[in-house]
Amino acid sequence: MSLSLPTTSPSISWEDPLDLMDEIDRLKKERDAVILAHFYVDGEIQDIADHTGDSLKLARDAVRASASTIVFAGVHFMGESAKILSPQKTILIPDLQAGCSLADSCPAPSLAAYQAQLRSQGHDFQTVAYINTTAATKSLCDWIVTSGNAREIIDRVPPDKEILFVPDQHLGRYLSEVTGRKMILWPGACQVHEIFSVQDLLRAKKNNPHSLVIAHPECPHAILEHADFIGGTEKMRQYVASLAEPKLFLVATEATMIHPLQKLAPQHTYIPVPGIMASDGKTCACNRCPHMARNTLQKVRDCLRDGRPEITWQPYFEKAREVLERSLLK
Ligand code: SF4
C-alpha cells in the first residue's frame, strides 16, 4: 500500500512499514543479501536487520556473512570497511550521502601533510586511527581501533614509538589516560557527542539521585568525568545486561542507542542526556546523528531493489585493507 500524504512537499510519500518489511524480505532472498545495521540507525531498521552492532562487530559480520550482497545501514566509512574486508561481495548502502563529521575532520591530504611535518621535526611515531575515518585516511595509518578494541590495539604499538591518534581528540584523550601512553591528538570531534550539556546532565543526576550515567568515550572530558560507566556501544549493552536490578540510566551517546539497550535489558529505564545547540545555547533532545538518520526503510528497500548505491573498489583500498586486517581480524 502506498499513500500520498497531504503535504506542501509533493515528493514526500508514505509507505506502510509492514509492506516495506515484506518487500525487503522478498528482495533480500532474490538478491542473496543480508542487512547489517549500526546501533545508531532507526530502531525499525535494526529490527529487520540480520545483524546489529557497533563498527567492530559489523565489520566482522560482513566478513563472516555467506551472502553475496551486504546492505550496510550505517554511514559511508562503514560501507567502505565492509568492501575492503570483503572485496568479492557487493556492498550496498541505503544513502551515499550518509557521511560522518568525525571522518570528515581528518581528510587524507591534511593527515599526510601533518605526518610529514612531524617526521621533519624528528618525531618517531605510529598513527592510530579510530575506525571513523575514510578509507583514504586509513591507508595512511598503522593501526585502526574501535571503541571496543582500542586498549588492546594500543598495547600493540611498540613502547618506544610515539602515537599520533586521529581523528577524535576526546577518545584519544580518554585512551591516553587509561593506557598511560602519551599521544599527539588530532583535533577532530563527533558533532553528536560534542553537544552534550554538562549542566543538564548534573541537573538530571540531581533529580534522579540513584541514576547511573553511561557515556561513550567520544564524549568530551567534562561529560566523562561524571560517568559511572564509559564504553562503546557493545560494552554499554554488556554493562546494562549485567545488572539484574532495575536502574535508571542517563545515556550520553546517540539517542537511538536506547533502542537496543531497551530491547536487551528492558528492566531498566533509559533517559537520553540532553544536548546543547551551539547556535543559540539552548538545550534540546537532538542527539541524533543526522548522517545515520539518512537511513530509512524505504532507502533500504530501494537499494535492494535497484542494486545501488554501491561501494566500489578504489586503488587505495589495498593499503587500507592491510591496516584493517592487521587491526580487526588478527
Ligand atoms: S554519531 Fe558522530 S561519529 Fe558516529 S557516524 Fe554520526 S557523526 Fe560520525
Side-chain angles (χ1 to χ4, degrees):
M1 179 177 66
S2 177
L3 295 176
S4 286
L5 287 177
T7 167
T8 48
S9 168
S11 61
I12 296 174
S13 67
W14 182 84
E15 291 181 75
D16 187 329
L18 292 178
D19 289 349
L20 278 169
M21 287 176 195
D22 285 346
E23 205 179 343
I24 287 169
D25 219 34
R26 176 177 61 76
L27 289 164
K28 256 173 52 179
K29 291 185 189 108
E30 280 176 23
R31 206 173 267 284
D32 181 32
V34 289
I35 299 173
L36 309 189
H38 192 272
F39 287 138
Y40 293 168
V41 298
D42 275 351
E44 60 186 10
I45 301 178
Q46 294 187 45
D47 291 344
I48 55 142
D50 299 278
H51 303 277
T52 55
D54 64 2
S55 307
L56 176 60
K57 178 177 177 292
L58 292 178
R60 289 174 171 158
D61 287 337
V63 173
R64 288 191 204 113
S66 56
S68 59
T69 297
I70 288 170
V71 174
F72 207 124
V75 294
H76 191 268
F77 76 80
M78 296 178 180
E80 280 187 330
S81 297
K83 182 67 184 177
I84 290 166
L85 293 172
S86 305
Q88 74 288 3
K89 292 175 188 159
T90 302
I91 309 294
L92 304 176
I93 61 169
D95 190 323
L96 214 46
Q97 303 302 315
C100 168
S101 63
L102 197 46
D104 290 348
S105 73
C106 187
S110 309
L111 176 59
Y114 189 53
Q115 288 171 321
Q117 184 191 329
L118 286 175
R119 282 190 195 102
S120 73
Q121 292 167 348
H123 289 277
D124 181 16
F125 64 94
Q126 290 195 343
T127 306
V128 178
Y130 190 30
I131 196 165
N132 296 32
T133 40
T134 64
T137 296
K138 286 185 177 79
S139 72
L140 300 173
C141 299
D142 300 287
W143 301 99
I144 304 297
V145 302
T146 67
S147 48
N149 76 351
R151 285 194 203 189
E152 176 202 323
I153 294 287
I154 286 166
D155 285 345
R156 290 163 71 183
V157 179
D160 58 326
K161 299 274 182 195
E162 291 181 79
I163 293 175
L164 167 60
F165 189 87
V166 303
D168 190 327
Q169 57 182 310
H170 303 304
L171 178 63
R173 188 168 296 114
Y174 169 72
L175 290 173
S176 179
E177 270 173 32
V178 297
T179 62
R181 295 289 297 263
K182 259 183 82 181
M183 294 184 191
I184 303 163
L185 301 176
W186 186 269
C190 158
Q191 69 186 98
V192 177
H193 288 90
E194 208 169 45
I195 61 164
F196 290 113
S197 156
V198 181
Q199 273 184 348
D200 279 24
L201 171 61
L202 294 178
R203 195 172 301 128
K205 272 184 84 153
K206 201 170 162 206
N207 292 340
N208 303 281
H210 300 298
S211 60
L212 294 171
V213 178
I214 52 176
H216 196 285
E218 285 176 29
C219 293
H221 183 70
I223 292 289
L224 295 184
E225 65 184 359
H226 298 292
D228 297 284
F229 177 84
I230 299 170
T233 49
E234 277 294 345
K235 291 215 166 117
M236 274 184 194
R237 287 175 77 245
Q238 290 164 14
Y239 175 62
V240 300
S242 73
L243 303 175
E245 284 291 307
K247 303 274 182 206
L248 173 64
F249 288 107
L250 304 175
V251 183
T253 190
E254 212 272 358
T256 318
M257 183 61 203
I258 288 177
H259 181 79
L261 293 177
Q262 200 118 48
K263 241 174 129 171
L264 181 69
Q267 70 274 28
H268 306 310
T269 305
Y270 305 92
I271 299 176
V273 174
I276 187 159
M277 293 169 85
S279 54
D280 59 7
K282 290 184 184 152
T283 55
C284 63
C286 53
N287 311 327
R288 281 243 48 206
C289 171
H291 310 289
M292 290 285 184
R294 283 181 169 272
N295 291 274
T296 62
L297 274 182
Q298 278 98 336
K299 289 180 191 171
V300 171
R301 184 274 314 276
D302 292 352
C303 81
L304 271 167
R305 183 192 60 203
D306 304 338
R308 64 188 166 81
E310 181 182 354
I311 303 281
T312 53
W313 187 265
Q314 304 297 323
Y316 49 86
F317 281 14
E318 197 54 55
K319 177 71 195 348
R321 175 153 71 154
E322 282 172 37
V323 188
L324 269 169
E325 285 185 345
R326 185 190 319 135
S327 307
L328 302 190
L329 304 184
K330 288 180 182 161

